[in-house]
Amino acid sequence: MGKFEVYKDKRGEFRFRLKASNGQNILASEGYSSKKGCENGIASVQKNCKDDKCFDRLKAKNGKPFFNLKSTNGQVIGSSQQYASTSTMENGIKSVKNNAPGASIVEV
């Protein structure tokens, strides 16, 4: 089962990353000013990851595919790494859909 890791970055902002059961990072958040805001972001991931329309499939400037997960109001709540191919990106999206709903939350 996957897990959300909550941590404070160098600027003092709270962030989360979703890790798959194999330990690989599959989604990372932007910074939040409060821990409560970060926890709300995790809840939004768990809610919105079930809807494929919430995933924006994009290409970076270098041409590599990646995705953003958006809430229903259109705000980005998490971003993936860049992938080598579209098929590996789609596997990343499947991993978010499979891992996020039941993922535990740990502070690191």
Side-chain angles (χ1 to χ4, degrees):
M1 203 34 118
K3 67 180 175 180
F4 286 98
E5 292 182 343
V6 175
Y7 63 98
K8 246 184 177 179
D9 67 15
K10 292 177 183 173
R11 296 189 320 194
E13 293 183 316
F14 290 91
R15 295 178 178 267
F16 65 82
R17 60 186 158 239
L18 175 60
K19 290 194 164 201
S21 55
N22 65 3
Q24 187 173 11
N25 289 335
I26 50 177
L27 193 71
S29 75
E30 296 181 331
Y32 294 88
S33 58
S34 70
K35 186 176 174 187
K36 182 67 177 163
C38 187
E39 291 168 347
N40 289 342
I42 291 170
S44 185
V45 168
Q46 291 176 314
K47 175 185 171 190
N48 291 292
C49 72
K50 299 167 190 163
D51 186 352
D52 195 63
K53 291 181 290 204
C54 291
F55 288 91
D56 272 351
R57 291 150 172 92
L58 305 163
K59 284 201 188 270
K61 290 180 181 176
N62 63 7
K64 292 189 175 187
F66 72 100
F67 63 86
N68 287 332
L69 176 60
K70 292 185 172 184
S71 63
T72 52
N73 68 5
Q75 184 176 355
V76 175
I77 47 179
S79 298
S80 74
Q81 63 184 10
Q82 293 180 12
Y83 291 92
S85 69
T86 301
S87 64
T88 54
M89 178 193 65
E90 290 297 333
N91 287 339
I93 290 171
K94 285 180 192 171
S95 187
V96 171
K97 290 177 179 181
N98 290 335
N99 285 283
S104 59
I105 301 171
V106 296
E107 291 186 41
V108 293

